[in-house]
């Protein structure tokens, strides 16, 4: 068995020199898809302090996923700046994790739950991508935390909506990222899964992690989040009457 190669992560400067930087700082961001003239996000300004849980709220098509994908470095931006812990997007790629919307995952892929969750560790594996004991332990901790240990051997094509969502969350957790970008983790889930997701959000906060959640669910906002950022048609929208606002995000 080849041991873990303790080499520094390429392109990542450990010991962030700008310790006062917010977890996420977005200035004047515009983004759009290739071949599309229309912008999916227009002039967004957002600052998320370290350790905050923030909801990105808006109807379908308002730009929530585009915002998270831009921060994750999955979409080239058209204009503006994004800084993560004071650094450029991708400067320290394993520090940020993006949990895709359930509908974007190919659930027919022949892989079992445990292996899919383990793939969340890949950014940490050395040459040959060989997982070590420590990686499997982290997978077990996440499976337990999300109450899905018993379905570890199940093919991902055999899961219910709530189980799919738990598996995606487990996969995001094992990366040990500092900034978690969760795209609609509450979609199509049962009450038990909802409760577990709430607990996970709280636990991440207690660990000093920063979590940004795209959602269109407006219940329990004050319980699950410290702040909310509203989007409509690609632009920042005003807090709706009686809506949750929380901490300042500018
Ligand atoms: P939300 O996540 O809030 O539902 P999105 O960020 O997915 O919104 O979409 C914002 C806008 O970008 C919408 O008008 C949508 O049609 C468009 N869009 C999203 N994905 C693509 C894509 N892959 N190609 C072209 N346009 C897209
Ligand atoms: Mg979306």
């Amino acid at each position: 068995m080849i041991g873990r190669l303790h080499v520094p992560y390429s392109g990542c400067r450990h010991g962030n020199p700008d310790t006062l930087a917010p977890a996420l700082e977005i200035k004047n961001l515009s983004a759009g898809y290739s071949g599309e003239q229309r912008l999916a996000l227009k002039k967004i300004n957002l600052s998320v302090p370290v350790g905050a849980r923030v909801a990105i709220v808006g109807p379908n098509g308002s730009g929530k996923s585009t915002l998270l994908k831009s921060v994750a470095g999955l979409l080239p931006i058209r204009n503006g700046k994004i800084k993560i812990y004071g650094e450029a997007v991708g400067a320290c790629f394993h520090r940020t994790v993006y949990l895709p919307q359930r509908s974007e995952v190919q659930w027919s892929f022949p892989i079992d739950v445990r292996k899919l969750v383990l793939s969340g560790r890949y950014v940490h594996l050395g040459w040959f991508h060989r997982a070590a004991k420590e990686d499997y332990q982290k997978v077990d901790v996440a499976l337990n935390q999300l109450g899905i240990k018993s379905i570890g051997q199940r093919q991902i094509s055999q899961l219910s909506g709530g189980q799919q969502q738990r598996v995606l969350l487990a996969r995001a957790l094992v990366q040990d990222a500092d900034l978690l970008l969760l795209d609609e983790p509450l979609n199509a889930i049962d009450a038990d899964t909802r409760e577990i997701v709430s607990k996970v959000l709280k636990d991440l906060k207690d660990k000093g992690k920063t979590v940004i959640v795209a959602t269109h669910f407006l219940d329990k906002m004050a319980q699950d989040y410290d702040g909310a950022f509203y989007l409509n048609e690609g632009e920042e929208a005003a807090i709706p009457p009686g809506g949750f606002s929380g901490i300042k995000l500018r």
Side-chain angles (χ1 to χ4, degrees):
M1 162 96 194
I2 296 167
R4 172 67 45 88
L5 289 168
H6 287 283
V7 292
Y9 296 107
S10 62
C12 180
R13 278 160 290 168
H14 285 282
N16 184 354
D18 187 359
T19 49
L20 296 176
L24 174 65
E25 179 101 76
I26 296 180
K27 290 217 168 106
N28 205 28
L29 171 70
S30 294
Y33 292 86
S34 63
E36 298 268 338
Q37 196 112 67
R38 199 172 51 94
L39 289 169
L41 276 181
K42 287 161 251 174
K43 299 192 171 165
I44 300 297
N45 288 288
L46 171 66
S47 177
V48 178
V50 174
R53 295 163 303 175
V54 168
I56 307 290
V57 189
N60 268 339
S62 57
K64 303 183 295 295
S65 297
T66 307
L67 181 58
L68 296 189
K69 285 177 183 171
S70 301
V71 175
L74 299 171
L75 193 68
I77 67 174
R78 297 261 178 101
N79 199 16
K81 272 208 176 111
I82 303 175
K83 292 254 166 144
I84 297 169
Y85 295 98
E87 310 229 37
V89 170
C92 197
F93 68 92
H94 70 277
R95 236 183 143 180
T96 303
V97 68
Y98 172 70
L99 175 151
Q101 242 169 282
R102 210 162 54 87
S103 56
E104 294 200 358
V105 174
Q106 200 197 328
W107 292 103
S108 59
F109 194 81
I111 187 172
D112 69 27
V113 165
R114 210 150 181 272
K115 288 217 178 68
L116 181 71
V117 174
L118 180 67
S119 72
R121 292 294 304 162
Y122 283 4
V123 292
H124 294 284
L125 305 187
W127 298 345
F128 312 120
H129 278 200
R130 185 123 13 160
K133 199 169 154 198
E134 174 196 347
D135 301 302
Y136 288 107
Q137 279 167 349
K138 284 182 190 283
V139 168
D140 285 338
V141 167
L143 291 177
N144 271 329
Q145 194 181 357
L146 288 155
I148 48 174
K149 185 86 187 287
S150 62
I151 59 165
Q153 312 299 325
R154 195 175 294 178
Q155 288 291 307
I156 61 167
S157 57
Q158 309 293 315
L159 305 176
S160 69
Q163 287 169 336
Q164 289 177 342
Q165 210 63 80
R166 291 186 198 204
V167 168
L168 288 182
L169 195 50
R171 182 180 184 275
L173 292 179
V174 298
Q175 189 179 312
D176 276 339
D178 293 318
L179 175 63
L180 294 96
L181 310 166
L182 312 181
D183 207 342
E184 309 257 12
L186 305 175
N187 241 357
I189 59 172
D190 48 279
D192 285 353
T193 306
R194 176 80 174 82
E195 206 44 50
I196 284 178
V197 174
S198 282
K199 276 204 196 107
V200 167
L201 292 176
K202 170 82 173 47
D203 182 60
L204 287 167
K205 185 183 172 65
D206 292 345
K207 288 181 174 152
K209 309 279 187 181
T210 308
V211 193
I212 304 181
V213 181
T215 183
H216 54 256
F217 288 91
L218 298 172
D219 65 323
K220 297 190 184 164
M221 294 277 286
Q223 176 195 310
D224 284 344
Y225 305 108
D226 305 301
F229 184 80
Y230 293 86
L231 273 177
N232 196 30
E233 296 187 358
E235 292 182 88
E236 180 175 1
I239 302 160
F244 170 72
S245 60
I247 59 168
K248 211 168 147 275
L249 297 169
R250 285 290 283 272

